[in-house]
């Protein structure tokens, strides 16, 4: 298959580029820890040119389409958010372009904003592409959790991203484990399913900060082994994330397969049907969908 | 008034001793950043002797009664918890003693444990003294919040500490502000009442980790000024702490007067009657009550 365009996911800590065929197959990949926070504003064309030089030498210029934080204030060019409900067409119609060193242009897809069920504003950059990709796999309406540092609980309805909300599951886990008393003086941690599920049950049932301290007291009471504290905290936070989600019949978990296992255990415990879909697969299907709109050559 | 005994609050980061009269008046105070985490197990007698040497020179040996983490595993001697419901008598009957350099003994009051309303185990060391002190001031049953790093929501009933639960309000505030994305790249912070109350309302109403991220998005949307983010996070966490507490008619806030102001604003907003009682006053009244039981000379 012929290499015909490049899809880029440029985030704050990582740069990832995918060499794509017209049929949406990924032929090659370039990944570097060259997040946009390490790039000065005026250096973006130069840095990008160096990052994909391997492909430029072989294929010359190829159309480039980018998504993620590269379109934020801290990125190459700020691209205004499209307000949900938002379809693939809506995103394709709000693409902005930037100048490459070669004199050609590259395209940046906008993020999506919304007001969530609690009346709070929400923003995403990058995940909207995964949701469009997921809609190509599933067909029809769906609920999805794009889990991670800032987990997105999203609803796709009538061909559009209808609404979503953010839960800081990954980040809160990280700071509790690394910076709070709950993570202090622990031996090497092992995952324990029963302990994790105990956390899930308590986290789903009670106000979060009223039960967090039990990660310490259960240990003092020898009811949780001190090598399973991380598993318990993960359970509390994932249970808490499902506080409002367990009204759903089926959930799609989007992310890397190995990180999905804790969410999967929690959903099995609640008897909620689910599928795990690879995050990169969703991203590339979403980018291919946007690319296929033809807008890429028109700006 | 005559100096006749010494009350000590020895915690993980601070040592505080109060020179007391028989009538419960505080005549002098010694405070040093000599928390027990900085003291090796075998050094406690020596370190204590040095810390109160100013009084020993003047008054010779005085009875010493201690409370707080000094009775924990990391302290001078581990004193088992008394299980709630627990009265002042119960505590006085479970005092343990340690040997001083002078050959005399000092007394350590036990902490109090319980199972909270969520079925989770709870432990406190030091706050039980404040609750006993508060019961000397209030007379009758009461609900109190001993606010701080690990806020204790406690219920005093029929002359006993009936039950309590821990909310990590202070610690979660600290790690969110210092280690999460919510606290990143902020200018100097100012307190803003409206922003704080906005946080209180949202925190009291919705699952905590489902609304935390709004501290970032309200800023992006210019709905909260970036100099008021700490006030908003404080509001979210204090509102969340009241998720289950606003069934109460009246609350006693125990702690230092200047830290009580945020809690006071939140309670005013909810039209909950409250009084603020100084934490040290409660501690000394509680220690005097235990001391008056006379057990101190019997071990």
């Amino acid at each position: 298959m012929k290499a015909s365009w490049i899809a880029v996911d440029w985030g704050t800590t990582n740069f990832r580029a995918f060499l794509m065929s017209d049929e949406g197959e990924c032929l090659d990949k370039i990944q570097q820890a060259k997040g946009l926070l390490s790039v000065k504003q005026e250096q973006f064309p130069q840095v990008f040119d160096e990052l994909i030089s391997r492909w430029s030498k072989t294929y010359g210029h190829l159309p480039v389409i980018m998504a993620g934080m590269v379109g934020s204030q801290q990125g190459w060019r700020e691209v205004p958010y499209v307000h949900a409900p938002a379809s693939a067409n809506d995103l394709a119609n709000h693409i902005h372009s930037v100048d490459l060193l070669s004199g050609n242009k590259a395209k940046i897809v906008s993020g999506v904003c919304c007001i969530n069920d609690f009346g709070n504003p929400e923003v995403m950059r990058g995940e909207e592409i995964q949701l469009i990709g997921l809609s190509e796999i599933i067909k029809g309406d769906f609920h999805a959790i794009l889990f991670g540092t800032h987990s997105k609980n999203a609803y796709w309805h009538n061909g559009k991203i209808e609404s979503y909300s953010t839960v800081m599951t990954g980040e809160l886990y990280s700071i509790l484990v690394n910076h709070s008393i709950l993570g202090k003086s622990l031996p090497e941690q092992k995952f324990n399913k029963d302990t994790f599920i105990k956390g899930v049950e308590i986290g789903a049932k009670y106000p979060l900060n009223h039960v967090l301290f039990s990660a310490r007291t259960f240990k003092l009471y020898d009811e949780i082994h001190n090598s399973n504290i991380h598993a318990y905290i993960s359970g509390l936070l994932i249970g808490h994330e499902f506080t409002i989600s367990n009204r759903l019949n089926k959930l799609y978990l989007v992310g890397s397969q190995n990180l999905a296992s804790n969410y999967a255990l929690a959903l099995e415990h609640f008897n909620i049907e689910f599928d795990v879909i690879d995050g990169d697969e969703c991203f590339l299907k979403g980018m291919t969908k946007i690319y296929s709109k033809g807008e890429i050559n028109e700006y």
Side-chain angles (χ1 to χ4, degrees), chain A:
Chain A
M1 252 173 300
K2 193 171 140 273
S4 54
W5 62 289
I6 296 169
V8 175
D9 171 23
W10 204 343
T12 47
T13 51
N14 279 298
F15 171 90
R16 304 191 313 147
F18 304 86
L19 185 68
M20 305 294 290
S21 73
D22 271 333
E23 295 77 24
E25 288 297 307
C26 178
L27 309 173
D28 194 11
K29 186 176 163 183
I30 290 170
Q31 175 156 2
Q32 283 206 37
K34 188 76 187 173
L36 51 90
L37 292 185
S38 67
V39 182
K40 283 190 190 137
Q41 186 56 44
E42 68 278 11
Q43 296 176 327
F44 274 104
Q46 180 70 41
V47 170
F48 182 76
D49 199 68
E50 287 160 14
L51 284 165
I52 63 151
S53 63
R54 171 154 64 87
W55 294 339
S56 309
K57 277 172 200 150
T58 313
Y59 307 105
H61 172 70
L62 292 173
V64 176
I65 179 163
M66 300 190 273
M69 293 300 284
V70 66
S72 73
Q73 220 169 14
Q74 297 84 43
W76 196 333
R77 176 177 172 181
E78 188 174 2
V79 182
Y81 293 104
V82 172
H83 204 293
S87 66
N89 270 337
D90 294 331
L91 293 184
N93 289 333
H94 287 84
I95 282 175
H96 282 48
S97 62
V98 289
D99 293 321
L100 298 176
L101 216 58
S102 63
N104 294 292
K105 286 184 184 297
K107 310 298 176 188
I108 303 180
V109 187
S110 71
V112 171
C113 64
C114 80
I115 302 297
N116 69 23
D117 293 348
F118 313 121
N120 297 343
E122 292 279 0
V123 290
M124 54 162 64
R125 287 199 190 271
E127 296 96 337
E128 68 286 346
I129 306 293
Q130 292 182 312
L131 289 168
I132 287 166
L134 186 58
S135 77
E136 295 288 294
I137 300 169
I138 312 264
K139 312 291 181 190
D141 296 352
F142 60 81
H143 282 278
I145 292 188
L146 287 61
F147 55 88
T149 307
H150 301 147
S151 188
K152 304 286 182 189
N153 289 214
Y155 179 43
W156 180 275
H157 177 61
N158 261 350
K160 295 187 174 194
I161 299 166
E162 175 76 16
S163 69
Y164 63 92
S165 67
T166 304
V167 192
M168 296 176 62
T169 303
E171 180 162 13
L172 199 50
Y173 172 82
S174 167
I175 61 176
L176 286 171
V177 156
N178 292 311
H179 299 291
S180 87
I181 194 171
L182 306 182
K184 282 242 170 71
S185 312
L186 296 178
E188 194 184 336
Q189 295 293 294
K190 294 172 199 156
F191 187 78
N192 177 283
K193 188 186 161 181
D194 291 343
T195 304
F196 171 77
I197 292 296
K198 182 185 178 87
V200 167
E201 284 189 338
I202 292 174
K205 205 166 166 186
Y206 301 115
L208 182 62
N209 203 17
H210 289 255
V211 294
L212 271 182
F213 200 60
S214 64
R216 183 165 174 84
T217 53
F218 275 129
K219 185 185 73 173
L220 291 173
Y221 274 61
D222 283 330
E223 289 181 38
I224 291 181
H225 196 271
N226 65 3
S227 66
N228 302 145
I229 303 298
H230 287 195
Y232 180 68
I233 293 173
S234 171
L236 284 178
L237 292 171
I238 288 176
H240 177 75
E241 184 167 352
F242 289 128
T243 309
I244 59 153
S245 301
N246 51 15
R247 56 188 156 88
L248 311 177
N249 293 324
K250 177 161 185 176
L251 262 176
Y252 292 90
L253 297 174
V254 177
S256 68
Q257 303 275 344
N258 57 337
L259 283 177
S261 58
N262 284 13
Y263 279 87
L265 282 176
L267 289 170
E268 276 165 13
H269 179 70
F270 289 133
N271 281 318
I272 299 173
E273 198 188 337
F274 67 93
D275 266 337
V276 181
I277 316 272
D278 185 72
D280 280 357
E281 185 189 347
C282 288
F283 179 76
L284 293 180
K285 281 214 190 315
M287 289 297 255
T288 302
K289 176 79 174 176
I290 303 274
Y291 174 69
S292 74
K293 297 286 171 189
E295 304 292 332
I296 194 148
N297 295 315
E298 291 169 20
Y299 278 70

